[in-house]
Amino acid sequence: MEKLRNEKLKKVAGKGKGFIAEFKAFVLKGNVMDMAIGVIIGTAFANIVTALTTDFINPIINGIGGAEVGGELKIYGGQVIKYGDFITSVINFLIMAFVLFLMLKAVNKIMSIGKKKEEEAAPAKSAEIILLEEIRDELKKQNKKK
């Protein structure tokens, strides 16, 4: 799959000249497209977490502690410090960080399962086999020189 993608990128890069060709190749790389999709999904997820915090967690905190999470502190000159918004943002951040941690942990576990199967499938070479391969390679080098 990676070979096919690289071939397509080479074809696209050859169609234009200079800067535009490089830009096309950059945009069509899989990493850029994956990152764009990740940003879109991340934004949608952030909206969900904000709604969860504002509409669910903050009312629970208000009901239990009697303190208003959406509070304001009035200071001189009619200015207002919205400490409740800050607290909400901190709660949002903690939820997002926790969920991302869990997702990353799950992905790493899935990736390690695949690696373990590959390692189990390929048996380790014995010292004798390694030595025989070295001898074979050395004989090939000697035959090429003749």
Side-chain angles (χ1 to χ4, degrees):
M1 181 147 183
E2 188 68 29
K3 273 187 172 181
L4 183 62
R5 182 181 292 160
N6 288 338
E7 289 175 15
K8 287 181 181 179
L9 289 175
K10 287 178 185 177
K11 288 179 185 177
V12 170
K15 289 182 180 178
K17 291 187 178 182
F19 182 77
I20 295 173
E22 288 180 38
F23 181 72
K24 283 181 186 178
F26 171 76
V27 169
L28 294 177
K29 281 185 181 177
N31 296 342
V32 175
M33 298 304 282
D34 294 342
M35 185 176 67
I37 292 169
V39 168
I40 293 167
I41 291 173
T43 303
F45 184 68
N47 291 336
I48 291 170
V49 171
T50 300
L52 172 74
T53 306
T54 305
D55 299 333
F56 185 72
I57 295 175
N58 287 352
I60 291 174
I61 293 172
N62 292 344
I64 294 172
E68 187 179 333
V69 177
E72 298 177 345
L73 178 64
K74 293 182 181 180
I75 57 174
Y76 65 91
Q79 298 297 318
V80 176
I81 296 176
K82 296 182 178 182
Y83 65 87
D85 291 345
F86 177 73
I87 292 171
T88 301
S89 295
V90 169
I91 294 170
N92 285 350
F93 171 77
L94 293 174
I95 292 170
M96 293 282 285
F98 182 69
V99 169
L100 289 174
F101 169 74
L102 292 177
M103 288 174 54
L104 186 61
K105 192 170 181 165
V107 167
N108 286 339
K109 186 164 189 138
I110 291 169
M111 296 295 283
S112 69
I113 290 171
K115 289 181 182 177
K116 287 180 184 176
K117 287 182 181 178
E118 289 175 9
E119 290 173 2
E120 291 173 2
K125 293 181 181 180
S126 66
E128 292 87 10
I129 293 176
I130 293 172
L131 181 60
L132 289 171
E133 287 177 348
E134 289 175 1
I135 293 170
R136 178 197 63 204
D137 294 341
E138 197 60 39
L139 288 171
K140 284 182 182 179
K141 286 180 187 176
Q142 288 176 3
N143 286 338
K144 286 183 182 178
K145 290 179 182 177
K146 290 182 181 182

